Amino acid sequence: MLSGSSMDDDWDFTISASSVNTLVLFGKTGNGKSATGNSILGREAFLSKPSLYGVTSTCELQSTMSRDGRVVNVIDTPGLFDRSDESEATSKEIVRCVNLAKDGIHAILLVFSVRSRFSPDEEAAIESLKTFFGEKILDYMIVVFTGGDDLESHGQTLGDFIGHKKHRSLQKFLESCRHRIVLFNNKTKNETKRAEQVRQLLSLVDSVIASNGGKPFSDKLFDELKEGALKLHRKETVVESLEVTLNNRFLH
């Protein structure tokens, strides 16, 4: 069942090449993935609350429909790359994510928080994504910064934050994904502001889709995973085979 939101009447986007856009949220636990997903959907679909530990335990898909008839699927993920020694659990969730993305992945939303520094852990998470999906994943990546309310309270803009001289590694990474960035304030009650940040995000999604010829993300491993995921209900051994493939790729 698709759910609309109070923001839908404000949406006025150019119709995408695909009537279904699937977005996957990745990021470190605590960066606000679930809250961002809720902002996109316009409702409290994903569990989101302050916690020392991740409250999202497995990949989950929720959907909404925009005014132009675009179906927006949002896949929330646990902190898949929080700990490098949990590659087996990560592999299982990657397989589940691929299974949920039946129409392919149109954009990867990498969620950072302006409340925390761009740490070696997050650099490692990016490398892990490239290890699993290949360098081509950068062509589908959009960076979402959460904590817009925090910047506003300090009189800063996102440009001020990114441009700080201490953020050289972050700046280099943003260059690799063509500076596709958007700032989210997931706490705002201002419906106009909520609608505008979602509009900006989906405009970037359209840009990603256009620059990739309208085709969702794909590479050899992803295609193998997708084909295998379609058979999960018939063969349990397929799961084991896919997990071994992912584990081997992650470890090497």
Side-chain angles (χ1 to χ4, degrees):
M1 178 74 68
L2 295 174
S3 301
S5 77
S6 60
M7 293 189 294
D8 290 350
D9 291 340
D10 297 321
W11 292 4
D12 184 20
F13 304 113
T14 302
I15 295 177
S16 167
S18 170
S19 59
V20 179
N21 293 166
T22 298
L23 318 177
V24 181
L25 293 156
F26 282 118
K28 187 179 176 182
T29 293
N31 278 0
K33 295 187 303 296
S34 299
T36 298
N38 290 337
S39 290
I40 297 169
L41 295 165
R43 66 184 193 279
E44 298 297 312
F46 301 120
L47 180 61
S48 175
K49 63 181 182 180
S51 175
L52 293 174
Y53 306 96
V55 296
T56 302
S57 59
T58 189
C59 293
E60 180 183 353
L61 181 147
Q62 296 285 344
S63 302
T64 191
M65 184 179 286
S66 67
R67 186 180 180 182
D68 61 17
R70 176 205 314 238
V71 176
V72 181
N73 295 327
V74 181
I75 299 177
D76 191 17
T77 66
L80 295 183
F81 305 107
D82 288 349
R83 294 181 60 187
S84 60
D85 61 345
E86 292 182 348
S87 59
E88 182 177 351
T90 296
S91 299
K92 290 180 179 179
E93 289 304 317
I94 290 291
V95 172
R96 178 172 172 78
C97 178
V98 170
N99 192 30
L100 290 172
K102 299 184 185 302
D103 296 294
I105 295 174
H106 296 88
I108 295 287
L109 308 185
L110 194 56
V111 181
F112 296 144
S113 172
V114 300
R115 296 185 175 94
S116 59
R117 66 189 183 89
F118 185 65
S119 67
D121 285 345
E122 284 171 317
E123 292 186 66
I126 294 167
E127 291 305 312
S128 294
L129 279 174
K130 290 193 289 186
T131 297
F132 275 110
F133 294 110
E135 290 282 340
K136 190 177 178 182
I137 198 65
L138 292 172
D139 294 336
Y140 290 81
M141 199 169 285
I142 297 169
V143 178
V144 180
F145 287 93
T146 63
D149 53 307
D150 206 42
L151 288 186
E152 289 173 17
S153 68
H154 288 88
Q156 284 187 296
T157 67
L158 183 57
D160 294 333
F161 175 79
I162 293 171
H164 197 284
K165 63 182 180 181
K166 292 183 179 179
H167 293 162
R168 298 301 186 207
S169 56
L170 173 60
Q171 293 161 10
K172 184 176 180 181
F173 166 65
L174 294 178
E175 288 175 6
S176 70
C177 53
R178 302 180 186 178
H179 287 277
R180 289 186 292 261
I181 57 176
V182 62
L183 178 66
F184 264 50
N185 177 348
N186 291 318
K187 294 182 178 181
T188 184
K189 303 298 182 183
N190 185 314
E191 288 299 319
T192 300
K193 183 176 290 186
R194 288 170 65 92
E196 175 58 20
Q197 61 192 20
V198 174
R199 187 200 66 78
Q200 290 177 11
L201 172 65
L202 292 188
S203 177
L204 288 173
V205 171
D206 284 340
S207 174
V208 167
I209 292 172
S211 65
N212 287 294
K215 297 179 181 178
F217 172 77
S218 179
D219 76 351
K220 184 177 180 181
L221 174 62
F222 185 85
D223 290 341
E224 290 174 2
L225 292 174
K226 190 172 182 180
E227 181 180 351
L230 295 175
K231 302 175 183 177
L232 296 185
H233 65 286
R234 295 202 301 265
K235 291 185 178 182
E236 191 68 27
T237 54
V238 173
V239 180
E240 297 175 2
S241 175
L242 294 175
E243 289 169 6
V244 168
T245 300
L246 282 168
N247 282 332
N248 287 340
R249 186 162 181 173
F250 181 71
L251 293 173
H252 293 91

